[in-house]
Structure formats: structure tokens, C-alpha cells
């Protein structure tokens, strides 16, 4: 045993020394060829130590120290490219590509090794393929790893972020061909799929959308980063800078054109422009004491126009609506001016669901006589409910997912709401929310008749949309812990899909309503 410990300690010392040697070369501004050779030695030394001896290298932070070498070497290449035109030195381009490819190969092998050794599940790595210096990348050093299994998952997450950064660097420093951000986004998204409650992948995804001037998706990922890591000052500053950029584009009349480039529908583009303008005014107007009814009215009118007139409603459209809800909720961390907007937007979504339910799905359900209340006491009551779910329109199912998030927001904020805003708006929202709950309880009594709520059938597998709200702090409170307190390992479980997902979604909407009624 002592001999094994001595061997592990020796490996750690060799890896640490190799990293120190590379850092010394960086400090002396050595030639790029010497730096890449030294980095190769450091990678090999760390590879001999990780991942086989994760449990003894936690204090050494070899992983983060090695990645900082890659960041520093990328900076050296950036300076070299700035000193001379790339076309005048093709060898520099080849050397940089070799650095990127070798780094990608190392991290891809590292992820596979971690996955196989610690049973992280099969990770489908994408095929191989920093922006403005005003934007900052959050420091991830605050994370504390407790045990090898947890560290392995965390280390895999960081390695996927590194793979995304390497792909992003390649696009940044090798101009001449259209930039392709798909490889970088694939790695960042894969990192988010294994640790959705973390924030860093959202910040890095935002960097890729900044490059395309896709302000809506940039804001979404910056808000998502900020909502998961509020204490991270870099995330807050990046959000502030993006707001200032959007405001400048709006003043120069370029915002509409930029948004339309990323949307197929002109009406949806108008909705997103209204959304962005509203956020910029509320976020950047420090002296604004009251919310702007005119801006909110414009946004809500655009929403109703898109919802009512657009016959070809797709899942992508509801993803936009869903992300708008989350951004509005996250924005309350910056200013409470968004609270009334959230109240009014919730009312609009509740109203849309009631309208859709009565106009299509629920109307058909009301006309059926073969599903009497006594039928739900039979052993096949779940099958009966599944048949009812299957009769809901796709639009109704998509709206139900939005209603669920709005219900969480109300549950989290019902006490503050009782102390602010006008009573007319609050009464209207509560009335519509009660109508939604009554309608669902009446058509799905199996889910509503179990009292107390602890007796309801428990399904702890997350829904597909839960990935986007894991770790989303603005929605987490005492009343929502039962729905949003995802435990370690849940992120790796297979998601529910289809009608069973809709049924579980209905169940969770009803439980949230029962909580409020009991209070």
C-alpha cells in the first residue's frame, strides 16, 4: 500500500513539475514551437495521473492548471497573429491548427476515459471540426469536489467546456471561411446535459451567439448563467454589456434587421424586438421608478398576434415563449420592474391555455359521456387519463408547459405579490390561474383527488423542460422545492416524453396549485 501511495505521489510531482516548466517558458515568452512541445509533455504527465488517480489529485488541481496552459498558449498565438498577416506566414496557421487538433484529441480521449472508468454513461462526442475581450469568462475555481465520482462528472463537464473553447478559438483566429459555431455549441450543450444546474456552459454558449449578433439567444444564455451563479461578477458584467449593445443597435435602427436575420417569421421577429427593447429600458434605466405600461402593452400585443394568427405553431416557437418566461423571471434579480410584466405575461398565457382548451381539446372532452367520474376508480384509470391526454391538441400541450413555469413563479412570489402591484391585475391573474387548475382537476380527477398531496403518485424522473430550470435560483423557494430541488444524479436520468410527460406535467401543475390553496 505504501509503495502504491509513493508511486501516486511521484506521478503527481512529475505532472506538477511539467506544468511549472511550461509556465516558466510562457513567462519568458519562448518560441511557439518550444511552448507547444512543453505543453505536450505536460499533457502526457497529467494523462499518466488523471483519471486513474482522481482521488489523490483533488488538492493539486492539475486539471485546471493544465487548462490554464492551453488558455495562455492560445493567447500567445493570438499575439503572433496580430503581429503579422496570416497569409504572410502559412506555417503559423498550420502550427495553430496542430495545437488545436492535438488539444482536442487529448480532451476527447480524457472524456472517454472518465466515462468508461466511472460509469458516467455513454457520451456521444460531436465530430471534430475568445470573442471580444470586453466579455469575461467566469472563474470556475470555486467548485469543491467531494469524492471521485462527483469529481469525475465535474471533470468531464470541464473537459467538454474545454473542447468547446478549442473549437471556438479555431473559428476566431482562422478567418477566410464562414464561421461555424456548431461544433463549439455541441460541446457546450453536451456539458450542460450532464450538469444542467451549472452556469459556465451558458456563458460560453452566449459567446457564440454574440459572434452572430443573435441578441435573443445571447440574452437567454447570459440570464441563465447569471440566474445559476448570481455571485459571479463576470456574468453580471457580460449581461450589462450586452444590454448596452442592444440599446445602441436599437437607437441606430439596426436591431430589427439583426433580429429578422435569425427568425423565419416577421411577426415573431417583431415580438422579439419588443421583448429586447423592454428589457433594455428596464435594465439600463437606473432612474426609472415605474414600469412602462406602453412597452409592456406592445410586447403583449405582439405575443397575442403571434399566438392567434400563426397557424404553423412549432415547438421552436414555444421554446421562444418558454425562454421569454425564464428571462423575465431572471431579470427580477436586477430590477423589480419586471414583476408586473411577469404577472401580466402569466395572465396572457393562462388565458391562452383556457382559450385553447375550450376551443379544441377540452371542448371535445366535455362532450364525451363515456368517461364518468366513477370510471376513474377502476384499475385502468391511468389508461383512461392517458386517453384524455391524447385528445389534447399539440398547442394545448405546449401551453401547459408554459403554464407550469408560470405557476412556479406565482408560488415563489405570492407573498411579495400581495404587497405590491395593483389589485386589479392580481385578481385577474389569480382568477385565470384558478380557472386553469379547476379545468385540469375536473378532467383529470385521479391527479386531483389524492389528499394530502403526499399521497399523489410520485414520479421523480425529470421532464424534458426541467433541464433548463435545474439550478435556476429565481424559481427556487420554500413552496417550489418539491418541484425544483433536483438531487444529484437526476440530470443523467432518461427524460419522460409523449403523453406520459404531459400527464406528469398536469400532475405537477395541480400539486403546485394545491400547495397555494393549503397556504
Amino acid at each position: 500500500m505504501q509503495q502504491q501511495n509513493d508511486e501516486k505521489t511521484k506521478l503527481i510531482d512529475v505532472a506538477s513539475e511539467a506544468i511549472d516548466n511550461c509556465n516558466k517558458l510562457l513567462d519568458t515568452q519562448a518560441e511557439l514551437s518550444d511552448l507547444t512541445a512543453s505543453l505536450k509533455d505536460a499533457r502526457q504527465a497529467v494523462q499518466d495521473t488523471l483519471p486513474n488517480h482522481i482521488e489523490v489529485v483533488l488538492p493539486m488541481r492539475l486539471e485546471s492548471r493544465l487548462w490554464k496552459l492551453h488558455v495562455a498558449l492560445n493567447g500567445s498565438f493570438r499575439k503572433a497573429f496580430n503581429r503579422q498577416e496570416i497569409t504572410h506566414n502559412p506555417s503559423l496557421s498550420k502550427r495553430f491548427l496542430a495545437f488545436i487538433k492535438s488539444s482536442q484529441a487529448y480532451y476527447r480521449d480524457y472524456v472517454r476515459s472518465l466515462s468508461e472508468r466511472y460509469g458516467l454513461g455513454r457520451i456521444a462526442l460531436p465530430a471534430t471540426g475568445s470573442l471580444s475581450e470586453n466579455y469575461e469568462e467566469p472563474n470556475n475555481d470555486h467548485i469543491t469536489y467531494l469524492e471521485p465520482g462527483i469529481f469525475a462528472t465535474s471533470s468531464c463537464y470541464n473537459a467538454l467546456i474545454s473542447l468547446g473553447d478549442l473549437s471556438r478559438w479555431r473559428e476566431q483566429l482562422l478567418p477566410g471561411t464562414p464561421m461555424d459555431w456548431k461544433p463549439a455549441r455541441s460541446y457546450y450543450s453536451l456539458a450542460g446535459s450532464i450538469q444542467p444546474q451549472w452556469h459556465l456552459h451558458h456563458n460560453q454558449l452566449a459567446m457564440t451567439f454574440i459572434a452572430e449578433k443573435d441578441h435573443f439567444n445571447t440574452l437567454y444564455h447570459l440570464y441563465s448563467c447569471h440566474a445559476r451563479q448570481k455571485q459571479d461578477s463576470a456574468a453580471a458584467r457580460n449581461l450589462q454589456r450586452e444590454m448596452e449593445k442592444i440599446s445602441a443597435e436599437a437607437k441606430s435602427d439596426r436591431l430589427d434587421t439583426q433580429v429578422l436575420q435569425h427568425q423565419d417569421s416577421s411577426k415573431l421577429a417583431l415580438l422579439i424586438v419588443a421583448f429586447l427593447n423592454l428589457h433594455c429600458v428596464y435594465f439600463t434605466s437606473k432612474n426609472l421608478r415605474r414600469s412602462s405600461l406602453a412597452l409592456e402593452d406592445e410586447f403583449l400585443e405582439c405575443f397575442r398576434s403571434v399566438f392567434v394568427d400563426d397557424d404553423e405553431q412549432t415547438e421552436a416557437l414555444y421554446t421562444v415563449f418558454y425562454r421569454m418566461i425564464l428571462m423575465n423571471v431572471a431579470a427580477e434579480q436586477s430590477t423589480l420592474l419586471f414583476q408586473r410584466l411577469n404577472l401580466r405575461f402569466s395572465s396572457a398565457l393562462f388565458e391562452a391555455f383556457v382559450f385553447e382548451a375550450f376551443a379544441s381539446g377540452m371542448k371535445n372532452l366535455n362532450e364525451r359521456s363515456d368517461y364518468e367520474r366513477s370510471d376513474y376508480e377502476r384499475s385502468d384509470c391511468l389508461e383512461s387519463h392517458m386517453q384524455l391526454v391524447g385528445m389534447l391538441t399539440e398547442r394545448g400541450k405546449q401551453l401547459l408547459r408554459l403554464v407550469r413555469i408560470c405557476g412556479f413563479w406565482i408560488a415563489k412570489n405570492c407573498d411579495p405579490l400581495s404587497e405590491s402591484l395593483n389589485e386589479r391585475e392580481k385578481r385577474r391573474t389569480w382568477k385565470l390561474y384558478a380557472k386553469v387548475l379547476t379545468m385540469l382537476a375536473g378532467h383529470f380527477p385521479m391527479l386531483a383527488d389524492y389528499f394530502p398531496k403526499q399521497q399523489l403518485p410520485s414520479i421523480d424522473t425529470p421532464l424534458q423542460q426541467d433541464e433548463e430550470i435545474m439550478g435556476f435560483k429565481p424559481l427556487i423557494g420554500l413552496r417550489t422545492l418539491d418541484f425544483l430541488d433536483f438531487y444529484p444524479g437526476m440530470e443523467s436520468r432518461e427524460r419522460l416524453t409523449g403523453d406520459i410527460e404531459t400527464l406528469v406535467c398536469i400532475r405537477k401543475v395541480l400539486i403546485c396549485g394545491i400547495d397555494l390553496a393549503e397556504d
Side-chain angles (χ1 to χ4, degrees):
M1 178 65 70
Q2 182 62 39
Q3 183 178 0
Q4 290 180 348
N5 290 334
D6 291 342
E7 291 177 356
K8 292 178 181 179
T9 302
K10 183 178 179 180
L11 287 172
I12 294 172
D13 292 341
V14 170
S16 182
E17 183 179 357
I19 292 174
D20 290 339
N21 290 338
C22 193
N23 276 318
K24 291 177 183 177
L25 290 177
L26 285 165
D27 292 338
T28 60
Q29 298 182 351
E31 294 292 328
L32 288 172
S33 57
D34 295 333
L35 288 172
T36 52
S38 180
L39 176 63
K40 181 179 179 181
D41 293 338
R43 275 201 299 249
Q44 184 60 53
V46 173
Q47 188 174 20
D48 292 339
T49 308
L50 289 173
N52 295 326
H53 305 300
I54 277 181
E55 68 278 3
V56 295
V57 299
L58 298 182
M60 304 302 298
R61 292 196 179 276
L62 293 180
E63 175 192 47
S64 61
R65 291 174 62 195
L66 178 64
W67 176 243
K68 287 177 181 179
L69 291 182
H70 289 80
V71 174
L73 188 51
N74 178 63
S76 297
F77 274 107
R78 183 186 292 272
K79 292 177 182 178
F81 280 124
N82 289 339
R83 285 195 296 266
Q84 53 191 315
E85 291 291 336
I86 186 173
T87 53
H88 295 165
N89 190 355
S91 64
L92 180 61
S93 173
K94 293 180 180 178
R95 194 175 300 164
F96 176 69
L97 279 175
F99 157 66
I100 293 293
K101 290 180 180 179
S102 63
S103 300
Q104 287 178 323
Y106 168 79
Y107 280 103
R108 286 168 68 88
D109 289 342
Y110 180 64
V111 169
R112 290 193 185 97
S113 180
L114 281 175
S115 178
E116 293 172 1
R117 182 174 178 83
Y118 291 95
L120 302 181
R122 185 174 182 180
I123 297 177
L125 291 172
T128 55
S130 123
L131 300 169
S132 170
E133 294 181 358
N134 290 329
Y135 290 88
E136 303 174 31
E137 299 190 7
N139 187 344
N140 214 31
D141 287 345
H142 66 277
I143 296 171
T144 301
Y145 306 117
L146 303 177
E147 59 183 56
I150 295 177
F151 177 83
T153 304
S154 305
S155 185
C156 185
Y157 175 91
N158 291 333
L160 291 168
I161 294 293
S162 299
L163 283 165
D165 287 348
L166 289 165
S167 298
R168 188 162 55 89
W169 294 347
R170 184 187 185 283
E171 299 301 324
Q172 291 169 330
L173 289 186
L174 290 178
T177 57
M179 292 188 180
D180 181 12
W181 302 109
K182 291 180 181 178
R185 288 173 185 164
S186 296
Y187 285 121
Y188 295 144
S189 298
L190 187 55
S193 70
I194 65 172
Q195 292 285 29
Q197 72 275 25
W198 285 12
H199 71 290
L200 187 57
H201 61 282
H202 282 293
N203 188 84
Q204 306 308 83
L205 280 165
M207 298 298 103
T208 67
F209 287 109
I210 287 171
E212 294 182 334
K213 296 185 178 180
D214 185 344
H215 299 295
F216 181 79
N217 282 308
T218 296
L219 268 193
Y220 168 71
H221 287 292
L222 288 177
Y223 269 130
S224 296
C225 178
H226 189 45
R228 285 166 173 79
Q229 207 62 37
K230 187 177 179 181
Q231 70 270 26
D232 196 314
S233 57
R237 288 193 295 268
N238 287 343
L239 188 58
Q240 177 70 36
R241 292 185 181 109
E242 181 62 17
M243 287 293 187
E244 293 170 354
K245 182 181 290 188
I246 294 173
S247 181
E249 298 290 1
K251 290 178 181 178
S252 60
D253 296 325
R254 294 193 298 264
L255 184 60
D256 295 44
T257 303
Q258 290 177 355
V259 171
L260 190 57
Q261 290 176 350
H262 300 284
Q263 304 300 328
D264 297 330
S265 166
S266 58
K267 286 187 177 181
L268 181 57
L270 287 175
L271 171 64
I272 290 176
V273 169
F275 176 87
L276 294 175
N277 283 329
L278 180 56
H279 273 250
C280 279
V281 170
Y282 282 6
F283 195 93
T284 60
S285 300
K286 303 300 182 183
N287 298 324
L288 196 64
R289 293 290 182 265
R290 299 178 61 186
S291 52
S292 171
L293 274 174
L295 287 173
E296 291 180 11
D297 288 343
E298 180 184 0
F299 166 68
L300 292 173
E301 184 61 32
C302 287
F303 164 73
R304 293 186 181 97
S305 176
V306 171
F307 177 76
V308 173
D309 298 338
D310 193 344
D311 294 331
E312 298 181 2
Q313 301 216 359
T314 63
E315 185 175 347
L317 176 63
Y318 284 92
T319 298
V320 171
F321 294 160
Y322 184 74
R323 291 187 170 187
M324 283 180 172
I325 296 172
L326 293 183
M327 283 190 271
N328 287 339
V329 172
E332 286 187 14
Q333 294 183 112
S334 303
T335 171
L336 289 178
L337 293 174
F338 285 96
Q339 193 170 78
R340 187 177 69 181
L341 173 63
N342 285 328
L343 190 71
R344 298 183 69 192
F345 196 26
S346 295
S347 295
L349 290 166
F350 293 154
E351 188 175 38
F353 177 78
V354 171
F355 174 83
E356 178 65 21
F358 273 116
S360 55
M362 291 299 183
K363 179 179 179 181
N364 294 334
L365 296 181
N366 286 332
E367 292 175 351
R368 293 182 62 88
S369 60
D370 54 338
Y371 283 106
E372 299 295 337
R373 193 172 187 83
S374 60
D375 290 337
Y376 297 102
E377 299 174 0
R378 300 184 320 220
S379 59
D380 64 343
C381 57
L382 179 59
E383 181 182 350
S384 300
H385 277 72
M386 290 294 290
Q387 292 181 34
L388 292 174
V389 168
M391 296 172 62
L392 291 174
T393 64
E394 188 59 33
R395 180 188 288 198
K397 293 176 183 178
Q398 294 288 354
L399 280 170
L400 184 65
R401 290 159 175 78
L402 305 182
V403 165
R404 175 178 175 242
I405 300 302
C406 291
F408 289 164
W409 177 78
I410 288 178
K412 166 76 183 300
N413 294 281
C414 62
D415 291 335
L417 286 177
S418 64
E419 302 169 1
S420 62
L421 308 176
N422 68 74
E423 290 298 324
R424 183 178 179 181
E425 287 286 355
K426 286 188 290 185
R427 283 198 300 269
R428 183 172 185 273
T429 303
W430 283 113
K431 184 177 180 180
L432 287 168
Y433 187 36
K435 185 176 291 188
V436 170
L437 294 172
T438 301
M439 181 182 297
L440 292 175
H443 285 80
F444 299 92
M446 183 190 78
L447 302 180
D449 283 354
Y450 283 81
F451 289 87
K453 63 180 185 298
Q454 286 80 4
Q455 295 178 10
L456 284 164
S458 176
I459 302 177
D460 59 8
T461 302
L463 306 181
Q464 285 190 326
Q465 68 175 185
D466 288 342
E467 187 171 298
E468 295 198 57
I469 57 175
M470 285 186 180
F472 196 83
K473 295 180 180 178
L475 281 178
I476 298 176
L478 292 177
R479 291 189 180 91
T480 59
L481 277 178
D482 289 344
F483 318 106
L484 300 175
D485 188 21
F486 302 105
Y487 52 82
M490 178 178 279
E491 63 273 3
S492 64
R493 293 195 174 200
E494 185 177 352
R495 302 290 187 262
L496 295 172
T497 58
D499 288 347
I500 186 64
E501 181 190 24
T502 302
L503 188 62
V504 173
C505 184
I506 292 172
R507 169 187 170 272
K508 293 190 176 184
V509 169
L510 288 172
I511 294 177
C512 191
I514 292 171
D515 265 348
L516 288 175
E518 289 179 347
D519 289 344

